[in-house]
Amino acid sequence: MAMGRIGLSLTISESLVQPFGGKQAMLGTNPTAIGIPSGQAPFIYDLATSLVSMGKIHHHALTQTPMAEGWPVDTNGRATTDTEAAKTGAIAPFEEAKGYGLGLALELLVSALAGTAFAPDVRGTLDAKNPANKEDVTMLIDQATKGGTGAQLAEYLYRPRISRPADPDRPVAVPADRMRARPAAALTQGIDLPDTLFEALRGLVPH
């Protein structure tokens, strides 16, 4: 985006997501990221096709905080809020059939373009034992000469920001707004780390 180009990145993962109507992890979370130059603050959006990320489930396990119902199933296909059981189970696709269809389409697209292994055969992104055997697709696209300019896109993105919010204390944001605010907040307020993670990191530093 610093070069004034649109960026698109597609990838897959090990089997972590159950197909809609299924109980077994068969698809990857298949994250997708889109970046579009739009003035000083580019539009950046990334999402997975799962209801939540496996990283979020691991975070709940690490912090021993309750996990919402409906996120994962265990290895027997039963709904669970047990974070340890969720690690080896399957995550629901977002919006049920819609997320499942999009995830499957992205997996097929990455395989068709890059020849990657499918999710059940992917290894090496969640462990340190196997070399990663998946492929990714990254595209850089020049903005069309008739396309909207960065200034025009920035002006359009300003509209939702000043629209009426459902909560008066929480203005409407567009993707990446809060992400850009985090580094500044971290410099003044620090970073919250679970005690278990903090102690694990301390153990890596010679005393």
Side-chain angles (χ1 to χ4, degrees):
M1 284 172 294
M3 296 183 291
R5 293 187 175 93
I6 296 168
L8 177 64
S9 182
L10 312 173
T11 189
I12 65 170
S13 73
E14 284 94 339
S15 295
L16 295 171
V17 180
Q18 71 214 43
F20 177 64
K23 292 185 175 182
Q24 180 183 356
M26 293 296 298
L27 282 75
T29 54
N30 302 348
T32 300
I34 301 171
I36 304 172
S38 52
Q40 295 298 315
F43 175 86
I44 301 173
Y45 186 52
D46 69 277
L47 80 160
T49 57
S50 53
L51 189 58
V52 295
S53 68
M54 181 56 75
K56 192 165 188 176
I57 290 175
H58 278 261
H59 175 75
H60 279 271
L62 182 66
T63 57
Q64 299 182 340
T65 52
M67 187 172 58
E69 293 183 6
W71 286 2
V73 295
D74 62 19
T75 52
N76 295 314
R78 295 184 297 245
T80 183
T81 56
D82 182 334
T83 53
E84 291 302 320
K87 288 181 183 180
T88 55
I91 309 170
F94 82 86
E95 290 297 322
E96 300 181 333
K98 291 181 180 179
Y100 165 51
L102 178 60
L104 192 57
L106 291 171
E107 194 153 318
L108 292 171
L109 180 60
V110 174
S111 178
L113 293 175
T116 188
F118 291 108
D121 300 316
V122 169
R123 299 290 183 273
T125 68
L126 293 177
D127 66 78
K129 298 178 181 179
N130 299 293
N133 64 339
K134 72 177 184 67
E135 303 291 340
D136 308 316
V137 173
T138 301
M139 303 179 190
L140 289 175
I141 306 168
D142 284 322
Q143 285 180 289
T145 55
K146 294 183 179 180
T149 66
Q152 289 171 326
L153 299 179
E155 181 181 358
Y156 173 67
L157 290 174
Y158 183 64
R159 296 180 189 178
R161 292 186 177 106
I162 62 172
S163 64
R164 288 180 296 173
D167 181 350
D169 295 324
R170 190 178 177 86
V172 177
V174 299
D177 281 356
R178 295 190 176 97
M179 176 191 72
R180 276 187 281 265
R182 286 176 190 162
L187 289 173
T188 58
Q189 302 169 19
I191 301 173
D192 288 329
L193 291 176
D195 291 341
T196 50
L197 177 57
F198 180 70
E199 291 303 322
L201 293 174
R202 278 173 54 89
L204 298 175
V205 179
H207 294 289

